[in-house]
Amino acid sequence: MTARLVTGIGELTTWDAERPVLAGAAFVVEDGRIAWWGAAADAPDADERDDVGGAAVIPGFVDSHTHLVFAGDRSAEFEARMAGEPYRAGGIRTTVDATRAAADHELDAGVRRHLSEMHRQGTTTVEIKSGYGLTVHDEERALRIARRHTDETTYLGAHVVPSGSDVAEYVDLVTGPMLDACAPHARWVDVFCEKGAFDADAARAVLRAGIATGLAPRVHANQLGYGPGVQVACEVGAASADHCTYLTDADVDALASSGTVAGLLPGVEFSSRAPYPDARRLVDAGVTVALATDCNPGSSYTSSMPFVVALGVRELRLTPREALWSATAGGAASLRRDDVGHLRVGARADYAVLDAPSAVHLAYRPGVPLVRETVVGGRPVA
Ligand SMILES: [Zn+2]
């Protein structure tokens, strides 16, 4: 077992309760885990040394909400939207047609390409949803492909009602044969609870059927307007209610008093020129906030967690440290993981080395490629 000492760290973010951020730090990686961390002067001997020359080191980003299994491109729709047309949930159907028409190897290559982009930007854990198949065959295939790349796979058969289908009949499919085919490849079940997609009763039916087969729930909630999504998420004990753009005080109270994480996806508001969610209000109310990309070809085609962190600070009113926490430890909370999102002893050695002296630079220097190296389980991936 080789121990590697990473030293010369200008600023190390561990999210330790007493010393969350430490200057002049070092840590030891052994067997893919953090075995020791502290002041560089106190570092133990190790078999190998990696001096990062004053760089900041952060836990790898945990991107808790993506839709990477897709084909096609919706740049024309984005262009039209920037010329004044509103975002509508039905645009998903364009991607459904392209995804159904793609071969397995094409979908797999797309996932690989986007994961590679993510690695280059410091992301080390990624959740991936289905939801662009909407048939038993195509949803099962999406999850089977996603599972090759992550354990955090989410069954989202209830993304939108496919063209020509009746809502009640489609919910029967999603909670019946489609669930049976998909559950073996999934950890999570999700539903788009929104006007134009699924109402509260349909969302409850989808989530409860998923829970009954052993999947854990998460919800797309309150993205385009006020609605029941957040309340349904809290009611079923969902790990996260994602979007949370339009919240009543009762929604904020429900999130604060439940174990449900509020997942904020500001790439969506950026890409649809819509009002941003208010992270400050949530944090001040005691809600756990995660930041994620929602990477998808329609409403948020970014794979960049540094970009999301910058939006979190500039537009969602988080401090730079809060935004980084939400993009790492918050994402881990959203996925109910305690082995990632921090660099305390025992954590998986998933981290990013920045070409910057502090993590504040992620928001201070938006759009600049500051990630020098990304390491997963002690091994460089970018
Ligand atoms: Zn989404």
Side-chain angles (χ1 to χ4, degrees), residues 65 67 129 220 243 265 294:
H65 187 136
H67 301 252
K129 300 175 199 301
H220 281 67
H243 286 291
L265 317 169
D294 196 12

Side-chain angles (χ1 to χ4, degrees), residues 19-233:
R19 292 184 297 172
V21 180
L22 185 66
F27 62 84
V28 173
V29 175
E30 205 169 338
D31 208 17
R33 302 259 164 185
I34 304 296
W36 177 90
W37 66 274
D42 302 332
D45 283 338
D47 309 304
E48 295 171 7
R49 271 174 92 85
D50 176 13
D51 189 328
V52 298
V57 174
I58 59 171
F61 295 116
V62 178
D63 194 345
S64 56
H65 187 136
T66 84
H67 301 252
L68 294 189
V69 189
F70 67 86
D73 168 302
R74 281 156 63 189
S75 54
E77 182 188 315
F78 174 77
E79 191 177 21
R81 206 158 60 230
M82 292 303 105
E85 289 178 26
Y87 174 72
R88 290 186 193 86
I92 290 166
R93 295 189 184 100
T94 311
T95 300
V96 170
D97 292 343
T99 304
R100 285 177 182 168
D104 287 18
H105 71 88
E106 292 170 312
L107 295 177
D108 191 77
V111 174
R112 272 176 208 284
R113 181 162 59 84
H114 291 101
L115 285 175
S116 164
E117 285 180 11
M118 289 171 163
H119 285 153
R120 292 200 297 278
Q121 298 174 92
T123 299
T124 51
T125 301
V126 181
E127 179 266 12
I128 303 177
K129 300 175 199 301
S130 67
Y132 294 124
L134 310 183
T135 65
V136 174
H137 167 77
D138 289 296
E139 287 294 303
E140 188 272 344
R141 170 170 92 125
L143 285 161
R144 188 162 29 82
I145 289 168
R147 223 342 136 49
R148 295 173 189 162
H149 304 282
T150 184
D151 292 335
E152 303 297 345
T153 50
T154 302
Y155 167 49
L156 181 60
H159 198 185
V160 70
V161 178
S163 309
S165 295
D166 168 80
V167 180
E169 280 173 20
Y170 188 64
V171 170
D172 285 347
L173 182 69
V174 166
T175 57
M178 191 186 282
L179 174 62
D180 294 340
C182 290
H185 312 296
R187 177 174 181 216
W188 303 97
V189 58
D190 196 344
V191 58
F192 190 15
C193 184
E194 197 81 35
K195 244 184 213 122
F198 297 87
D199 67 13
D201 287 342
R204 278 190 199 96
V206 168
L207 296 169
R208 287 190 180 138
I211 293 166
T213 64
L215 305 183
R218 39 204 319 114
V219 180
H220 281 67
N222 302 52
Q223 174 187 351
L224 302 172
Y226 295 98
V230 163
Q231 298 290 342
V232 170

